[in-house]
């Protein structure tokens, strides 16, 4: 397997296990963060990891190894994510993390989607991100209900904002990493 996929798989697995092991700040009955990784190595072999935010079950399927274990639920929040130093809107919770990576053909492409809920109206959350990104000298263009920009590493990102329940925001951050 290539280094990129192993890094991605290791990061998500360690994040799942590490946050679970040290305990998370949530009620036993609260829904945690669902984390999924679906990747292909340079030979097309599949790597899959899923941590279910509802049950705490973690399934790992890699060539030569399969595991399905029960761990405490993982609940990630605004402190557990950033784009070049810009964290999520204060009080946000990460609902989902989806990683899709492919290293076949000597090329690397990974798409990471982070679904989050923020405790304010979409216009307020969008304005907060615009200012926070500008404060870190990261240009982001506003298009409708989205922001689009490029990280310092050259990865394209978008942040989409939609109205959620009870004057909250349902957001999705998409980061694309491509190298040849």
């Amino acid at each position: 397997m290539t280094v990129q996929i192993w890094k991605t798989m290791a990061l998500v697995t360690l994040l799942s296990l590490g946050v679970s092991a040290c305990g998370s700040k949530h009620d036993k009955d609260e829904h945690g963060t669902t984390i999924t990784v679906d990747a292909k190595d340079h030979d097309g072999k599949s790597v899959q990891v899923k941590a279910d935010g509802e049950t705490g079950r973690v399934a790992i399927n890699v060539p030569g190894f399969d595991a399905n274990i029960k761990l405490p639920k993982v609940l990630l929040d605004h402190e557990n994510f950033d784009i070049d130093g810009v964290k999520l809107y204060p009080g946000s919770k990460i609902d989902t993390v989806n990683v899709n990576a492919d290293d076949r053909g000597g090329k690397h492409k990974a798409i990471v989607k982070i679904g989050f809920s923020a405790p304010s109206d979409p216009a307020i959350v969008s304005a907060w991100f615009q200012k926070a990104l500008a404060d870190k000298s990261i240009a982001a263009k506003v298009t409708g209900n989205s922001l689009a920009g490029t990280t310092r590493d050259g990865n394209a990102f978008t942040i989409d904002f939609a109205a959620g329940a009870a004057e909250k925001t349902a957001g999705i951050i998409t980061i694309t990493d491509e190298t040849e």
Side-chain angles (χ1 to χ4, degrees):
M1 293 191 136
T2 65
V3 173
Q4 291 291 341
I5 288 183
W6 277 112
K7 280 192 218 174
T8 302
M9 187 183 76
L11 174 66
V12 172
T13 303
L14 290 173
L15 181 64
S16 299
L17 298 174
V19 174
S20 294
C22 66
S24 21
K25 308 174 286 183
H26 66 86
D27 184 285
K28 192 166 104 174
D29 297 326
E30 188 174 2
H31 195 281
T33 303
T34 295
I35 301 169
T36 58
V37 175
D38 187 10
K40 301 263 187 247
D41 71 6
H42 64 281
D43 293 327
K45 293 179 183 160
S46 184
V47 173
Q48 296 178 323
V49 178
K50 180 170 184 180
D52 187 309
E54 189 170 329
T55 65
R57 295 215 63 85
V58 177
I60 301 170
N61 299 309
V62 298
F65 179 77
D66 288 341
N68 192 330
I69 56 177
K70 175 100 167 88
L71 294 170
K73 294 179 207 171
V74 174
L75 180 60
L76 303 176
D77 63 21
H78 65 281
E79 291 294 325
N80 300 114
F81 174 82
D82 73 78
I83 296 175
D84 291 335
V86 175
K87 297 216 179 267
L88 289 178
Y89 183 85
S92 294
K93 292 182 180 178
I94 298 174
D95 303 313
T96 59
V97 176
N98 296 306
V99 178
N100 190 313
D102 193 334
D103 278 349
R104 291 178 289 177
K107 298 178 183 178
H108 168 74
K109 181 173 183 178
I111 299 172
V112 178
K113 291 188 177 202
I114 293 99
F116 68 95
S117 53
S120 293
D121 172 273
I124 293 169
V125 176
S126 177
W128 182 90
F129 268 104
Q130 290 173 52
K131 180 179 179 338
L133 290 165
D135 288 349
K136 296 287 185 179
S137 300
I138 301 167
K141 180 180 177 184
V142 178
T143 306
N145 294 327
S146 299
L147 294 174
T150 304
T151 67
R152 290 187 190 114
D153 292 337
N155 299 323
F157 71 85
T158 58
I159 308 172
D160 299 307
F161 307 96
E167 297 181 18
K168 292 183 179 182
T169 296
I172 298 175
I173 297 171
T174 303
I175 302 169
T176 303
D177 176 18
E178 291 185 81
T179 56
E180 291 191 37

